[in-house]
């Protein structure tokens, strides 16, 4: 049996007619930027998240960067980010001229450890950027408590957590603003690059919108040195189609994850932990194994696709050599990078495919 790490085919087959109708509607309108489709999706996604405002942008990285710019965080400032995350989180901080300060994760949930944040705060710290990694929310009560104590902004990176909740509240509504990615592989994915900023702050939403539109509040009037980062009509139309089905498809991911959690039984495999008060959406189902590379080879030989999130931690990437962080400085991020392996997780996996993944992993010796 061959099982890919991810497949869009089951979802695309199911939504084919709706997606084609959306394409035809946009094509017929002859309006491709900042039109009714964008307004419709922004309204629907804000409502879905439980927020007042949503601003569509070009991608998830831009979403985070535009929030930072709108908050006037820049040169000489520091932003706390997890040491274990995709590089986009750190790049957003770098792009505005600030410095990312890495804080280690809880190794059982992969998310930033709130108990380690406070000791990394300095007079230069302006914000904390928790990442709801792999689709599980961070421990927001503790993070918000620290932020309030030191008068820091909380900017949520929700790129992998569309619909995830903490104490029944959807991510993206805890901090001053949140950045979402709609990269095709995400739980809510476009058919290309796309992203959004969600916030309850009207002035911040207006500033983000202007910054993403060349710094313009109306045509040819530029109040900021902005960027070109807007959600186009076609992607907005596709996202509106898929948003209707997101909760149902997230529930399917939870079903698959529950089977993995309860039926994978191999003392060489370390399963992820769900922290208290969390309802994850399982963008990634990451396990750990001290013999990760051999496990990966074994699964691939048996026809099971895998991935590694992420094989080189950010502080050891060539582009961040300037931070001077040597190997061993962030040992938990390094341990995760050398032991994490992501299993197939996507809407439409059959019972037989899930059975095969579990059976094969349990047979790894």
């Amino acid at each position: 049996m061959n099982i890919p790490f991810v497949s869009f085919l089951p979802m695309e087959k199911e939504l084919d007619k709706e997606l084609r109708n959306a394409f035809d509607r946009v094509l017929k309108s002859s309006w491709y930027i900042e039109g009714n489709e964008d307004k419709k999706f922004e309204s629907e996604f804000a409502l879905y998240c439980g927020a007042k405002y949503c601003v569509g942008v070009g991608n998830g990285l831009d979403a985070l960067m535009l929030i930072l710019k709108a908050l006037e965080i820049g040169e000489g400032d520091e932003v706390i980010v997890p040491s274990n995350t995709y590089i986009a989180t750190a790049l957003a901080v770098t792009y505005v001229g600030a410095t990312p300060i890495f804080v280690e994760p809880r190794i059982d949930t992969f998310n930033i450890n709130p108990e380690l944040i406070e000791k990394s705060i300095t007079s230069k710290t302006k914000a904390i950027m928790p990442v709801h990694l792999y689709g599980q929310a961070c421990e927001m009560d503790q993070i918000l408590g620290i932020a309030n104590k030191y008068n820091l902004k909380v900017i949520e990176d929700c790129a992998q957590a569309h619909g995830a909740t903490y104490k029944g509240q959807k991510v993206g509504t805890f901090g001053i603003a949140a950045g979402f990615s709609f990269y095709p592989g995400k739980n809510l994915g476009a058919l290309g690059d796309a992203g959004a900023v969600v916030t309850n702050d009207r002035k911040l939403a207006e500033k983000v919108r202007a910054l993403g539109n060349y710094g313009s509040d109306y045509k040819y009037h530029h109040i900021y040195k902005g960027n070109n980062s807007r959600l186009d009509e076609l992607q907005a139309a596709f996202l509106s189609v898929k948003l209707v089905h997101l909760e149902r498809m997230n529930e399917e991911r939870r079903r698959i994850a529950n089977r993995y959690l309860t039926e994978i039984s191999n003392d060489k495999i370390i399963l992820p932990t769900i922290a208290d008060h969390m309802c994850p959406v399982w963008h990634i189902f990451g396990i750990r194994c001290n013999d990760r590379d051999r496990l990966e080879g074994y699964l691939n030989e048996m026809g099971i696709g895998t991935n590694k999130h992420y094989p080189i931690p950010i502080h050891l990437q060539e582009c961040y050599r300037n931070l001077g962080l040597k190997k061993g400085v962030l040992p938990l991020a390094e341990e995760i990078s050398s032991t994490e392996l992501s299993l197939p997780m996507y809407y439409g996996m059959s019972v037989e495919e899930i059975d095969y993944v579990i059976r094969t992993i349990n047979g790894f010796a």
Side-chain angles (χ1 to χ4, degrees):
M1 184 178 290
N2 287 304
I3 304 171
F5 170 67
V6 65
S7 174
F8 306 138
L9 293 177
M11 177 176 56
E12 290 169 350
K13 183 178 180 180
E14 186 176 309
L15 302 182
D16 180 82
K17 185 176 181 179
E18 293 177 74
L19 291 170
R20 290 180 186 275
N21 287 342
F23 175 84
D24 290 342
R25 187 172 66 248
V26 173
L27 187 64
K28 186 177 180 180
S29 75
S30 295
W31 195 292
Y32 305 113
I33 296 288
E34 295 185 317
N36 290 332
E37 298 290 347
D38 190 24
K39 292 175 184 175
K40 177 176 181 291
F41 173 72
E42 288 179 348
S43 176
E44 292 170 344
F45 192 65
L47 181 64
Y48 173 80
C49 292
K52 292 181 180 179
Y53 308 102
C54 171
V55 180
V57 298
N59 54 67
L61 170 55
D62 283 0
L64 297 174
M65 179 189 68
L66 290 169
I67 294 168
L68 289 164
K69 287 186 73 170
L71 293 173
E72 299 181 1
I73 294 173
E75 197 73 36
D77 296 332
E78 295 176 350
V79 178
I80 289 174
V81 301
S83 60
N84 176 54
T85 183
Y86 185 54
I87 197 170
T89 311
L91 287 175
V93 177
T94 302
Y95 285 172
V96 299
T99 301
I101 302 298
F102 299 110
V103 170
E104 290 273 72
R106 274 183 50 178
I107 200 162
D108 56 344
T109 66
F110 302 108
N111 276 335
I112 192 168
N113 187 342
E115 295 176 6
L116 302 179
I117 290 175
E118 198 162 1
K119 68 179 182 181
S120 293
I121 294 172
T122 72
S123 60
K124 297 179 180 180
T125 308
K126 293 296 185 292
I128 304 171
M129 190 179 287
V131 180
H132 306 299
L133 200 67
Y134 304 165
Q136 177 167 203
C138 295
E139 295 157 282
M140 294 308 299
D141 281 350
Q142 290 174 267
I143 292 171
L144 291 170
I146 295 167
N148 290 335
K149 180 179 178 180
Y150 292 93
N151 194 29
L152 305 176
K153 303 296 186 184
V154 173
I155 302 164
E156 296 174 75
D157 184 338
C158 301
Q160 301 182 5
H162 316 72
T165 64
Y166 172 70
K167 292 187 175 180
Q169 181 178 336
K170 283 194 174 74
V171 299
T173 58
F174 291 93
I176 184 68
F180 284 84
S181 166
F182 303 125
Y183 180 77
K186 300 297 168 63
N187 292 38
L188 180 62
L191 303 190
D193 267 326
V197 171
V198 166
T199 182
N200 286 317
D201 187 313
R202 179 181 60 81
K203 290 184 178 179
L204 182 63
E206 291 173 350
K207 190 171 183 180
V208 166
R209 189 178 299 281
L211 283 166
N213 188 31
Y214 299 96
S216 174
D217 54 349
Y218 60 88
K219 197 171 182 66
Y220 301 133
H221 183 259
H222 304 271
I223 52 179
Y224 311 112
K225 295 174 182 176
N227 300 80
N228 175 18
S229 183
R230 298 170 294 192
L231 177 63
D232 69 70
E233 288 287 277
L234 190 57
Q235 298 305 336
F238 290 148
L239 288 166
S240 288
V241 168
K242 297 173 80 173
L243 180 59
V244 175
H245 304 277
L246 179 58
E247 282 298 296
R248 176 172 60 86
M249 292 182 174
N250 279 345
E251 193 56 42
E252 176 75 358
R253 288 174 176 266
R254 292 187 187 104
R255 183 184 69 83
I256 297 167
N258 187 59
R259 289 207 57 199
Y260 284 163
L261 288 168
T262 57
E263 297 179 43
I264 291 177
S265 180
N266 185 323
D267 60 11
K268 292 185 178 294
I269 306 301
I270 304 169
L271 295 168
T273 296
I274 302 175
D276 292 341
H277 313 297
M278 306 296 180
C279 186
V281 292
W282 300 106
H283 170 61
I284 297 295
F285 191 93
I287 61 174
R288 290 194 301 114
C289 177
N290 290 326
D291 203 358
R292 191 266 309 280
D293 292 343
R294 192 168 68 85
L295 172 63
E296 180 183 34
Y298 163 75
L299 292 176
N300 294 169
E301 285 179 10
M302 298 296 285
I304 298 172
T306 57
N307 207 333
K308 296 186 284 288
H309 295 89
Y310 301 94
I312 305 173
I314 299 173
H315 68 286
L316 297 182
Q317 294 283 356
E318 182 70 20
C319 63
Y320 276 112
R321 285 184 62 186
N322 64 297
L323 295 179
L325 299 174
K326 304 296 184 182
K327 188 172 182 178
V329 171
L330 297 167
L332 293 182
E334 293 171 24
E335 182 174 345
I336 291 171
S337 72
S338 65
T339 59
E340 192 276 345
L341 189 68
S342 302
L343 302 183
M345 171 60 72
Y346 55 88
Y347 176 78
M349 283 187 73
S350 69
V351 171
E352 292 75 19
E353 288 172 329
I354 300 166
D355 287 343
Y356 182 70
V357 172
I358 294 168
R359 186 169 64 249
T360 304
I361 290 176
N362 286 343
F364 177 67

